[in-house]
Amino acid sequence: MKSERVVVLALDGVYPFELGMPSRILGAADGHYDVVTCTVDGRPVRTSADFTVTADNGPEVLDTADTVVVTAIDPARLPLELPEATRAALARIRPDARIVSICTGAFVLAAAGLLDGHRATTHWQLADRFRRRYPHIPLDPDVLFVADGRVLTSAGAASGVDVLLHVIREDHGTRLANAVARRCVVPPFRDGGQAQYIEQPVPESGANGTSATRAWALEHLDEPLSLADLAAHARMSLRTFARRFHDEVGLSPGRWLIQQRVARARHLLETSDLTVDQIAGAVGFATGASLRQHLHATIGVSPQTYRRTFRAAAR
């Protein structure tokens, strides 16, 4: 098995938490990824904490990268113009390499021109600053990550875990991504986006929240759940339920249901011999055609292509 080379670029002011994510998450993926860390000049860099980190590699390893991860740095150290050493290091990335940013790493990619023509996200607290600096880049501050072709950007801090699990899921399927999540004791798939963290934290499960109804819905995905069904389970009016659901999850109930159904369908395509129509019924899509439509809208392939790809990968 050939491992994919992942190069993590540590810049001045890097957050230690985010810097360690690629090695921890991708390193738990059964040897599918070879993760190395570098700096722009091979020298140690100051972190956002009270210590310095030393990487074993300089910028030359970027030449070998299949995927490059630019991790978060302290917003106070985000330069308007990239230092020449940083720009030169980023210029070494191959045109066909995948590029991932975590949190404020999106500012670095934007300053280098690597987000031109792509949609992006970053930490919600910095969305206005990003828009002022890079008005030509479409920004979605409500999501946990944006995957736009070979460029992926994630939101604040822990959303780096979400985008890295997404990388594993896209490369090797949900089974391995779920296994990595269990090993790292994190949820394999967080429902909603970072909008749920902007005004208030997710409420505890109880009479005033929707988490119990979300858990109930996941057990009844095969049923034609309507907004009225969900609101009735939560014992709320339609309007109150829809508002609270969006506040907690960052998505409408309908969009959330589709997200969960597609995720369940992907798992069944990988792990079962059910037909497309049978899987559609098991996850709550009315027809196989509906499943095909939603799967293609989400990941750009048909159920048969998805199944063939990840069955082959498993073998």
Side-chain angles (χ1 to χ4, degrees):
M1 179 183 65
K2 182 179 181 297
S3 297
E4 176 170 326
R5 169 59 68 92
V6 178
V7 177
V8 183
L9 179 60
L11 299 172
D12 182 58
V14 66
Y15 281 106
F17 176 49
E18 286 88 332
L19 179 60
M21 283 180 185
S23 293
R24 186 66 185 94
I25 301 298
L26 300 180
D30 295 341
H32 285 286
Y33 301 95
D34 170 32
V35 184
V36 299
T37 305
C38 75
T39 62
V40 298
D41 53 11
R43 299 175 182 174
V45 295
R46 290 290 301 175
T47 70
S48 63
D50 61 342
F51 57 88
T52 297
V53 294
T54 301
D56 289 339
N57 303 285
E60 65 280 353
V61 294
L62 289 165
D63 300 346
T64 68
D66 300 303
T67 294
V68 175
V69 182
V70 178
T71 57
I73 62 176
D74 186 338
R77 303 194 201 184
L78 285 171
L80 287 172
E81 295 290 336
L82 290 181
E84 184 53 39
T86 302
R87 190 173 294 278
L90 293 171
R92 303 181 75 126
I93 300 173
R94 298 199 321 258
D96 62 335
R98 176 168 50 193
I99 303 173
V100 180
S101 72
I102 300 176
C103 192
T104 54
F107 282 79
V108 178
L109 298 188
L114 295 173
L115 289 184
D116 291 353
H118 294 279
R119 296 177 298 110
T121 191
T122 190
H123 196 295
W124 63 267
Q125 287 183 311
L126 300 169
D128 288 342
R129 187 194 301 189
F130 188 95
R131 288 191 178 108
R132 287 194 299 270
R133 286 194 185 184
Y134 311 107
H136 63 289
I137 299 173
L139 185 77
D140 187 349
D142 294 337
V143 297
L144 293 174
F145 60 85
V146 169
D148 189 3
R150 69 182 185 91
V151 179
L152 297 87
T153 52
S154 63
S159 62
V161 173
D162 298 285
V163 76
L164 293 170
L165 286 174
H166 174 77
V167 166
I168 297 171
R169 190 179 300 114
E170 294 302 297
D171 288 350
H172 303 289
T174 60
R175 178 179 289 179
L176 181 59
N178 291 346
V180 169
R182 286 193 295 271
R183 293 165 190 167
C184 296
V185 199
V186 295
F189 185 82
R190 279 201 288 173
D191 55 355
Q194 67 170 333
Q196 62 190 296
Y197 302 104
I198 293 176
E199 295 181 351
Q200 60 186 18
V202 178
E204 294 295 330
S205 176
N208 294 325
T210 67
S211 59
T213 296
R214 296 200 303 276
W216 172 80
L218 290 176
E219 296 175 356
H220 296 81
L221 283 180
D222 58 326
E223 301 174 15
L225 300 174
S226 66
L227 177 60
D229 295 328
L230 299 174
H233 182 274
R235 299 183 180 180
M236 299 179 191
S237 69
L238 292 176
R239 181 182 236 172
T240 298
F241 178 80
R243 184 183 70 250
R244 290 187 180 173
F245 192 101
H246 193 279
D247 287 345
E248 294 176 24
V249 180
L251 298 173
S252 69
R255 185 178 171 192
W256 178 84
L257 274 173
I258 290 173
Q259 188 182 73
Q260 303 309 313
R261 284 172 167 151
V262 169
R264 182 76 57 83
R266 291 173 69 172
H267 178 70
L268 291 174
L269 285 167
E270 293 177 39
T271 61
S272 79
D273 293 319
L274 296 174
T275 67
V276 171
D277 286 340
Q278 288 172 328
I279 291 175
V283 303
F285 288 125
T287 64
S290 180
L291 170 56
R292 291 182 183 92
Q293 176 185 349
H294 287 296
L295 189 70
H296 194 277
T298 301
I299 59 175
V301 299
S302 69
Q304 291 88 346
T305 299
Y306 184 83
R307 169 173 271 169
R308 186 165 56 249
T309 298
F310 289 107
R311 285 291 180 87
R315 287 195 295 269

